[in-house]
Amino acid sequence: MKDAAELILRSRRVVTPEGERPADVAVAGGVITAVRPYDSAVPDGARLTDLGADVLLPGLVDTHVHINDPGRTEWEGFATATAAAAAGGITTLVDMPLNSIPPTTTTAHLTVKQDTARGRVHTDVGFWGGAVPGNLKDLRPLHDAGVFGFKCFLLPSGVDEFPQLSPDGLADALTELTRFDGLLIVHAEDPGLIDGAPRRGGPRYADFLASRPRAAEDTAIAGLIALAERLGARVHVLHLSSSGALPLIAAAKRSGVRVTVETCPHFLTLTAEEVPDGATEFKCCPPIREAANQDLLWQALADGTIDCVVSDHSPSTVDLKNRDTGDFATAWGGISSLQLGLPAVWTEARRRGHTVADVARWMSTGPARLAGLTAKGAVAEGHDADFAVLAPEETFTVDPAHLHHRNPITAYAGKTLHGVVRSTWLRGEPVARDGRVTGEPAGRLIERPAGGS
Ligand SMILES: [Zn+2]
C-alpha cells in the first residue's frame, strides 16, 4: 500500500505540515500514500490531475456546525449543510448537539441523528454530545458511542429543550468527564453579567452590542479555567469574541491548564462599526465586536493563543431574523457562513500578511486536533486524501442565492472575497467542483477515534 498510487494530484503550491511547496501527492484507497517531489514520474495505471498553480490544502475541518436535523429541518438539514460545506472546501464537520429535536443528549437521541444523516452527507460528519441538567448518567454512554465531547451553556441557549447548566451542574459534569478524560466545550458568557447589562432592544446595533458585554465572556472564561485547573479537566472555549479574555487564556496555557479556544470567521472579518442598524443577519452571541478587538484576535491567532477557526454556522428561517422590524433583541442569533469561511478568512488573512498555510493550520489542522482526528487535517502520508483546491487570487461577490445552505441569508451578502474554491476531494474522490456538489453523497458518519479526544 505504501507508495501505491491510483491518483496523483500535482500542484506548484501544496500546503504540507512543513509549509507550502511544489509537490505530487499520491493517493490510493482514499489515503495519501506519498508526497513526492513535483513532476515525479507518474506510476503506471495512476491518473494525473495537474492543478497548476491552484493551492492544494488539507480539506477543512469544521467542528462547530448546527445542522438542526431532525426537528428544525426548515432551518437547515444534513443534505443542504454538507453540500454547502463541500462547496466551501470543508471535508469533515462535527454537528452541534442543539437546535435539532431531539438534542444529542442521550445515546438514543444520537442514534436518531445518525439515522437521519446516513446516506445524505457530502462530507464526513461526526457529533458532539450535550451536557444538560439531568443527563449526567448519559455522558459516559455517549462518549462510548463515539461523540467527540460535550457542549454546555452557562446561560439560556435559545431553545427550551437544551437548558443551561448551573454552576454546580457545570462542576458535576466536568467531574464526570474527568473519569474518562472527556472534553467539555462551553458557550462561555456569564448569565449574571448578561442579565445586568442594558437591554434596550430595537434595531440599533450599538444597543445590541451593549447587551452582550465583553466582561460577560471574560468572567465566564476565568471561572471555567479555574474549574478546569482545579479538576484537571479538559475544556474548550467556543466562539471567542472578546479579546479581554486573551491574556488569561494565554497565561492558563503557559501554566499547563488544559484549555483550547476557537474563534469564528465573522469575528475575524466583520466589525461592529460596519453593521447597519436593523441588519439582523449580523446577530450572533457573543456578538461581532469593534475593529480594535478584532486586531487582538488576529494577534492571538498568530501567536497560538487561539487554536482554531470554525464557522459556528447557525442558521434559521428568514422570518426568525425579524427582517421587518430589525429588532436585534428577539431575532435568532446565528450567522450562516458554512460555504464562505475559507474565502472570508483568507481575504482578511491575506490583507494582514498571513499565508494560505496559516489559514490551513487554523481551519484544518487545528480543528482536527481539537476533535482528535489524527487522519484529518494534513496533506501528509497516511492521512485521508481530503483536500480543498483554492485559487487564492481570484475574487467573487457573495450572492446568497448561490449558496447551498437552506435559507438564503448571510452576513456576507454582497461582499467581494478573495479565494475561489475550485474543488473539494474526500478520500481521493471529488465531492464538489466550482461551487456544485458532484455525484451521490459520499460522506461517512465518523466517531471519535479510540484513544483520541
Ligand atoms: Zn454554535
Side-chain angles (χ1 to χ4, degrees):
M1 185 67 178
K2 183 166 154 48
D3 275 2
E6 297 156 1
L7 168 71
I8 301 290
L9 288 173
R10 173 174 294 166
S11 167
R12 294 195 168 280
R13 302 186 62 185
V14 176
V15 174
T16 73
E18 297 78 38
E20 186 190 302
R21 61 184 159 103
D24 284 7
V25 178
V27 174
V31 173
I32 299 168
T33 52
V35 180
R36 298 178 173 145
Y38 183 78
D39 211 13
S40 295
V42 176
D44 284 347
R47 285 172 292 134
L48 171 68
T49 297
D50 193 332
L51 303 169
D54 288 346
V55 185
L56 186 70
L57 301 160
L60 270 57
V61 176
D62 190 343
T63 51
H64 195 149
V65 183
H66 297 266
I67 298 182
N68 312 330
D69 193 1
R72 288 195 179 87
T73 48
E74 69 280 16
W75 293 13
E76 194 59 280
F78 283 105
T80 46
T82 58
I90 295 164
T91 49
T92 302
L93 60 79
V94 186
D95 174 62
M96 278 293 166
L98 74 157
N99 302 347
S100 60
I101 303 172
T104 319
T105 48
T106 69
T107 53
H109 293 175
L110 174 64
T111 302
V112 170
K113 296 208 62 166
Q114 289 168 325
D115 288 347
T116 306
R118 194 167 290 114
R120 297 172 57 210
V121 294
H122 297 275
T123 65
D124 284 1
V125 174
F127 296 89
W128 295 108
V132 294
N135 85 330
L136 213 50
K137 65 178 186 329
D138 296 295
L139 302 182
R140 179 73 198 234
L142 276 164
H143 176 80
D144 292 341
V147 301
F148 287 82
F150 298 89
K151 180 176 194 180
C152 74
F153 280 75
L154 310 180
L155 74 180
S157 72
V159 293
D160 294 339
E161 70 280 359
F162 199 96
Q164 75 271 27
L165 294 178
S166 65
D168 284 349
L170 174 68
D172 290 348
L174 211 43
T175 301
E176 173 67 11
L177 296 194
T178 58
R179 303 204 166 104
F180 45 90
D181 206 27
L183 174 66
L184 190 70
I185 64 173
V186 182
H187 180 123
E189 285 185 290
D190 182 82
L193 288 172
I194 296 287
D195 279 347
R199 237 183 302 186
R200 276 184 207 91
R204 283 191 63 222
Y205 189 74
D207 288 339
F208 170 61
L209 188 55
S211 76
R212 311 293 297 208
R214 257 182 270 198
E217 280 189 86
D218 303 347
T219 299
I221 291 168
L224 183 66
I225 286 174
L227 194 59
E229 185 168 27
R230 180 158 69 77
L231 298 174
R234 299 169 59 220
V235 297
H236 175 73
V237 176
L238 296 163
H239 46 49
L240 179 75
S241 168
S242 169
S243 60
L246 290 168
L248 187 68
I249 293 164
K253 286 185 161 194
R254 276 196 301 276
S255 66
V257 181
R258 300 164 82 197
V259 57
T260 51
V261 184
E262 68 184 35
T263 190
C264 306
H266 38 277
F267 299 137
L268 296 168
T269 67
L270 305 171
T271 60
E273 289 89 338
E274 70 182 309
V275 178
D277 288 343
T280 53
E281 63 270 31
F282 289 84
K283 178 184 174 180
C284 57
C285 298
I288 294 165
R289 302 188 190 278
E290 304 82 349
N293 181 78
Q294 183 179 88
D295 289 343
L296 295 171
L297 294 179
W298 277 99
Q299 240 174 56
L301 262 180
D303 71 22
T305 304
I306 296 176
D307 299 272
C308 52
V309 178
V310 292
S311 72
D312 193 9
H313 176 77
S314 185
S316 70
T317 50
V318 174
D319 62 305
L320 292 179
K321 280 297 201 180
N322 293 353
R323 299 299 288 280
D324 47 348
T325 62
D327 179 20
F328 277 100
T330 53
W332 175 255
I335 290 186
S336 295
S337 64
L338 206 39
Q339 199 169 333
L340 300 170
L342 175 55
V345 172
W346 165 237
T347 299
E348 186 63 16
R350 177 182 172 279
R351 194 180 73 76
R352 290 173 182 262
H354 297 290
T355 65
V356 182
D358 291 330
V359 173
R361 197 171 71 248
W362 300 328
M363 302 189 81
S364 178
T365 314
R369 187 175 300 144
L370 170 70
L373 288 166
T374 52
K376 307 285 191 188
V379 179
E381 189 186 315
H383 282 66
D384 286 353
D386 298 352
F387 309 107
V389 177
L390 185 74
E393 294 308 312
E394 223 165 276
T395 60
F396 69 104
T397 300
V398 177
D399 176 352
H402 290 161
L403 302 176
H404 295 288
H405 70 261
R406 179 149 291 160
N407 290 285
I409 178 168
T410 175
Y412 296 93
K415 290 221 175 267
T416 296
L417 301 178
H418 272 86
V420 169
V421 178
R422 293 245 198 261
S423 60
T424 306
W425 301 64
L426 184 64
R427 279 182 287 276
E429 298 293 335
V431 291
R433 272 190 203 285
D434 299 321
R436 291 178 190 290
V437 292
T438 53
E440 293 302 304
R444 293 185 190 165
L445 303 188
I446 56 172
E447 296 174 0
R448 186 194 72 262
S453 73

